[in-house]
Amino acid sequence: MSTAIFKNYIIALSLIFGISFTAFAQEEADQNLSKKEQKALKKEQKKKAKAEKKAQAEAFEKIQHQQALVAIDSQQFVLEANQLYDRRGRTVNVQSNINFIKVEKDVGVLQIGSANLIGWNGVGGITVDGRISDWKVSKDDKNGRTTVSFNIMGSMLQARVIYDLDGTGNYCNVRIDGVFSARQLKMRGVLVPNNMSSTYEGMIRY
């Protein structure tokens, strides 16, 4: 685990445990207050709890984002898609463990699947791979978004791929141009390191 990710992990834990200790101490103090004071205090506690919950969520998103950036830097990551959509905006919700596009160093793997079918790959769709070239990574300092682009070429896959990672957290959009008879495919999901992924890869038929 990198120093940055470990530091953010410790911050997140301190926020979580801090809430438990604060709640215990406050419970004893509440018993000595009037009903009006208790009502005002509960309102303040609710406001504080909401702020702490938000801080926890932001800390967790920061960890996820750092993990995604480290995975991109090492060229070992996967976009687990929960939505597929085309250039016309038509959207389909899908299972993220069998619908993904993965980068493993200089090899890319694209898989489309369905739990209701068998398909060419054994998971209701198709799995194709290819060699990666023209690798580029850029970051927008204004909004924190990170873009990864590359070409991928294989016996059944020739496409231009663009990952667009959100400025916070690990949600990401992917656009694949030229896939499956020169058509465009878009995916939306989470970007995670390969060693943290829950995806299942079907058979690749050449």
Side-chain angles (χ1 to χ4, degrees):
M1 181 181 293
S2 70
T3 302
I5 294 176
F6 180 75
K7 183 178 179 181
N8 290 329
Y9 181 71
I10 294 299
I11 292 172
L13 285 179
S14 65
L15 286 169
I16 293 169
F17 286 115
I19 290 177
S20 299
F21 293 132
T22 302
F24 178 77
Q26 193 65 53
E27 185 176 347
E28 292 187 349
D30 288 353
Q31 296 176 358
N32 300 320
L33 300 177
S34 66
K35 290 184 177 180
K36 184 177 180 180
E37 289 173 329
Q38 287 180 7
K39 185 177 180 180
L41 181 60
K42 287 181 179 179
K43 184 177 180 180
E44 182 62 28
Q45 287 176 340
K46 187 175 181 181
K47 182 179 179 181
K48 186 177 180 181
K50 185 177 180 180
E52 288 176 337
K53 186 176 181 180
K54 181 180 178 182
Q56 288 180 48
E58 290 176 347
F60 186 60
E61 284 184 348
K62 192 171 183 180
I63 293 172
Q64 291 178 315
H65 193 71
Q66 288 296 328
Q67 288 176 334
L69 293 178
V70 171
I72 288 172
D73 187 57
S74 63
Q75 290 185 230
Q76 297 188 67
F77 59 91
V78 57
L79 184 285
E80 299 180 346
N82 48 48
Q83 287 185 323
L84 303 180
Y85 53 104
D86 60 22
R87 66 178 67 202
R88 296 182 180 179
R90 293 176 296 190
T91 304
V92 178
N93 293 325
V94 295
Q95 290 181 243
S96 60
N97 65 324
I98 55 175
N99 289 272
F100 62 85
I101 180 163
K102 178 173 69 174
V103 171
E104 184 67 52
K105 294 298 184 181
D106 62 344
V107 176
V109 179
L110 170 64
Q111 177 170 290
I112 305 298
S114 171
N116 301 318
L117 302 170
I118 297 177
W120 285 7
N121 57 1
V123 288
I126 186 170
T127 306
V128 290
D129 66 354
R131 289 287 174 180
I132 290 173
S133 63
D134 195 25
W135 175 271
K136 295 178 182 178
V137 179
S138 62
K139 185 171 182 177
D140 189 325
D141 293 329
K142 291 184 179 180
N143 55 31
R145 302 184 76 90
T146 299
T147 301
V148 181
S149 61
F150 56 86
N151 295 324
I152 183 169
M153 181 173 290
S155 60
M156 296 181 65
L157 176 63
Q158 296 182 29
R160 179 69 177 172
V161 180
I162 301 175
Y163 285 77
D164 183 20
L165 176 67
D166 289 359
T168 58
N170 62 348
Y171 269 88
C172 182
N173 294 310
V174 174
R175 192 182 80 208
I176 309 166
D177 294 312
V179 64
F180 307 139
S181 301
R183 295 180 181 177
Q184 184 184 85
L185 174 66
K186 294 180 181 180
M187 295 177 156
R188 172 76 175 171
V190 295
L191 190 154
V192 298
N194 288 341
N195 60 5
M196 295 178 64
S197 175
S198 60
T199 55
Y200 175 80
E201 187 174 316
M203 295 180 291
I204 299 176
R205 298 181 184 274
Y206 296 100

